Amino acid sequence: DFKARCAAGTTVVIDCEWEDHMTLKEQKSFAQQLMYCYSTNRGATKPVRLVYTGITDGSPTQERLRKMSGFDTWPLEVMEGTYIDNFPKEKLVYLTADADEVLSEFD
């Protein structure tokens, strides 16, 4: 069962709190990237527990995701609050394209 395999996997949180700083084009692209993340996870041999945080009710990202076929049934979690309030800080690794350090391994 896919949901059980996700629950047994690593938790990957995608921080969606930055949409206020995105252009309309970037917001559209971001929603597509979220869909791609779900799709790739769905086909993975070892799927992860996928969590999208910071998606507020009525936000452009939420509206775009809801327009995607079957989004409400996707086996992932959507949290309105921030990731920092929902997960223990000592267990978080924040990955960003803006980082100076390159992460080559993860335990």
Side-chain angles (χ1 to χ4, degrees):
D1 169 64
F2 180 72
K3 287 182 182 181
R5 290 187 301 135
C6 289
T10 300
T11 299
V12 172
V13 179
I14 298 181
D15 178 9
C16 303
E17 296 176 56
W18 297 97
E19 75 176 349
D20 291 347
H21 303 283
M22 295 180 194
T23 65
L24 184 60
K25 183 178 178 181
E26 289 169 334
Q27 289 175 0
K28 289 178 182 178
S29 175
F30 183 58
Q32 290 295 317
Q33 290 172 43
L34 293 174
M35 183 184 69
Y36 178 76
C37 288
Y38 166 74
S39 175
T40 300
N41 193 47
R42 187 77 189 179
T45 306
K46 294 183 179 181
V48 298
R49 175 183 165 221
L50 195 55
V51 182
Y52 298 161
T53 63
I55 296 181
T56 57
D57 194 35
S59 70
T61 299
Q62 184 193 51
E63 294 303 316
R64 284 186 180 84
L65 290 173
R66 283 191 172 159
K67 288 179 183 176
M68 293 181 189
S69 178
F71 173 72
D72 291 330
T73 63
W74 290 2
L76 58 83
E77 296 174 56
V78 177
M79 296 181 177
E80 189 168 325
T82 66
Y83 69 93
I84 206 81
D85 293 334
N86 287 293
F87 298 93
K89 292 175 191 155
E90 63 276 359
K91 294 200 174 217
L92 291 172
V93 176
Y94 197 98
L95 304 176
T96 174
D98 299 323
D100 292 330
E101 293 181 43
V102 175
L103 182 66
S104 58
E105 290 183 29
F106 181 74
D107 297 329

